[in-house]
Amino acid sequence: MALTYNDRAAEIMLHLVNHAAHGYSQPARAGDGTIETLTLSDGTVTTVHGGDYDCSEAVRMCYVAAGVLPRGCYMWTGNEASLLKSHGFASVGLGDLRVGDVLLRNGHTEMVVSVGGRLMQAGFRISEHRTISGTKGDQTGWESAYSALNPGAWSWAYRYVGGQPTGASKTTVHDATVSTSVPAGTYQCVVDALNVRAGAGTGYAKVAQYHKGETVVLDGSATVADGCVWGRYVGGSGKTRYIAVRTTGGMEYLRKVGAPAKPAAPKQSVSTLVPAGRYVCVVGTLNVRDASTVSAHVVAQYHKGQTVTLDGACAVSDGCVWGRYTGATSGKKRYIAVRTTGGTEYLRKTS
């Protein structure tokens, strides 16, 4: 009996979480450049990238390999709902979950699978250090795993409700082989923000950014490093600059759009540092929260002209660079947005 696309995705997820070669990593979620071929229970053949995943890359790869999502689509938990709904998924109630349903809450996602006829939730959860990265592969058995389905742990669920296959695929559904070439030409940024670096790798300094819809002309050179295929261009400074075109797992950051055109000027990188010192509020009202995220509780407010002394700690989340101080009355750590990642100031350093 032919598997549905939903069943295909769930079978692929079960393979990934049961395979010790696949551990949890955000930095290495694009894989290690190898390709793994899978034969599903109805004989359908597909491929996935080898190496590690994080939670959203695992869900994305399962539905790419199942034949639903386009291979180059860019997905993380922040855009996951909109991406799924634009490709045949519909929101469903958490009380009516089925195999293949995608589970989502702020910052994490998994999938409903069936183990021995019982519905479970499966996905990539955390590294062996309980951080976002670790040694390649599943070191503990719980970096990627399945467990009892707990609908109450999730905020939303999405089900693919589009057309279904009429039988097992006679050809490979998805070829995970990723081109490591970057032909010369004009490329358009398809993600919200993409860093430009001084060298081909994530360890090099950020020197600029491109944003969704902006274009850049690349010179045809290509380098593979840190899970990405890097293109190259010469900046207005006369220096050679490097930008990730796609991951080795097939996720696109830049898409070739045709004949060369004048590139948009990249925006200067916004500092993510918050040096210790006194800051003045430069907006009408600015919320103070109990964590460095806009979903955290508002515990106080600053108003234009008021000052606050920050301790030098910083975090980046929800499109903002956050500073920190200790509340004088409560003695608790408090968090306040200093600027957006786009460069808009909320607080300005005065000393």
Side-chain angles (χ1 to χ4, degrees):
M1 182 177 178
L3 296 173
T4 65
Y5 288 124
N6 314 61
D7 292 331
R8 286 182 183 178
E11 280 199 11
I12 296 165
M13 179 63 82
L14 267 178
H15 167 82
L16 293 178
V17 302
N18 283 326
H19 198 311
H22 304 300
Y24 182 96
S25 175
Q26 281 187 21
R29 74 181 197 144
D32 58 7
T34 63
I35 304 299
E36 188 175 356
T37 301
L38 308 181
T39 301
L40 305 182
S41 60
D42 68 349
T44 295
V45 176
T46 191
T47 64
V48 296
H49 71 66
D52 290 347
Y53 292 77
D54 69 1
C55 63
S56 57
E57 172 62 2
V59 171
R60 185 194 78 92
M61 179 55 71
C62 287
Y63 269 105
V64 169
V68 174
L69 293 178
R71 61 172 288 157
C73 64
Y74 174 77
M75 191 174 92
W76 64 294
T77 54
N79 77 340
E80 185 169 343
S82 59
L83 178 74
L84 293 176
K85 287 189 285 188
S86 69
H87 288 88
F89 287 75
S91 177
V92 295
L94 291 166
D96 179 33
L97 295 173
R98 303 176 192 174
V99 170
D101 286 352
V102 176
L103 304 168
L104 181 64
R105 62 175 181 255
N106 287 331
H108 190 56
T109 184
E110 295 192 14
M111 187 182 296
V112 178
V113 300
S114 176
V115 180
R118 181 184 175 192
L119 292 182
M120 311 286 275
Q121 58 192 44
F124 283 68
R125 295 171 175 174
I126 199 71
S127 80
E128 73 272 21
H129 305 303
R130 296 192 179 278
T131 60
I132 64 170
S133 65
T135 303
K136 179 182 172 183
D138 190 344
Q139 309 301 311
T140 62
W142 44 253
E143 289 188 48
S144 58
Y146 62 82
S147 56
L149 180 60
N150 179 11
W154 303 97
S155 302
W156 308 280
Y158 299 93
R159 178 177 303 149
Y160 177 69
V161 294
Q164 294 290 349
T166 57
S169 177
K170 294 182 171 56
T171 59
T172 300
V173 173
H174 168 249
D175 182 359
T177 303
V178 175
S179 172
T180 56
S181 67
V182 180
T186 301
Y187 290 74
Q188 185 174 59
C189 181
V190 296
V191 296
D192 291 336
L194 183 61
N195 291 325
V196 177
R197 298 187 180 269
T202 55
Y204 289 92
K206 293 185 290 186
V207 294
Q209 278 189 335
Y210 279 83
H211 294 82
K212 194 168 187 177
E214 293 180 335
T215 57
V216 58
V217 179
L218 303 182
D219 65 7
S221 172
T223 305
V224 179
D226 297 331
C228 291
V229 181
W230 299 79
R232 189 181 72 178
Y233 70 95
V234 177
S237 64
K239 295 180 179 179
T240 302
R241 302 307 191 192
Y242 297 83
I243 190 166
V245 177
R246 69 186 72 92
T247 70
T248 53
M251 189 183 298
E252 287 185 319
Y253 299 144
L254 293 174
R255 187 173 298 149
K256 198 168 188 296
V257 293
K262 184 178 179 180
K267 297 181 181 178
Q268 294 302 308
S269 180
V270 174
S271 174
T272 57
L273 300 178
V274 180
R278 184 176 292 275
Y279 290 74
V280 63
C281 179
V282 296
V283 295
T285 302
L286 185 60
N287 290 326
V288 178
R289 298 181 183 270
D290 59 7
S292 54
T293 172
V294 295
S295 62
H297 293 106
V298 175
V299 294
Q301 286 186 327
Y302 277 82
H303 300 282
K304 192 169 185 176
Q306 292 182 321
T307 60
V308 58
T309 300
L310 303 183
D311 63 10
C314 60
V316 180
S317 68
D318 298 331
C320 290
V321 180
W322 299 78
R324 188 183 71 177
Y325 69 94
T326 301
T329 304
S330 68
K332 295 180 179 179
K333 300 297 183 186
R334 301 307 191 194
Y335 300 83
I336 190 166
V338 177
R339 69 186 73 90
T340 69
T341 53
T344 301
E345 282 188 320
Y346 299 144
L347 293 174
R348 185 172 299 147
K349 197 170 189 299
T350 59
S351 64

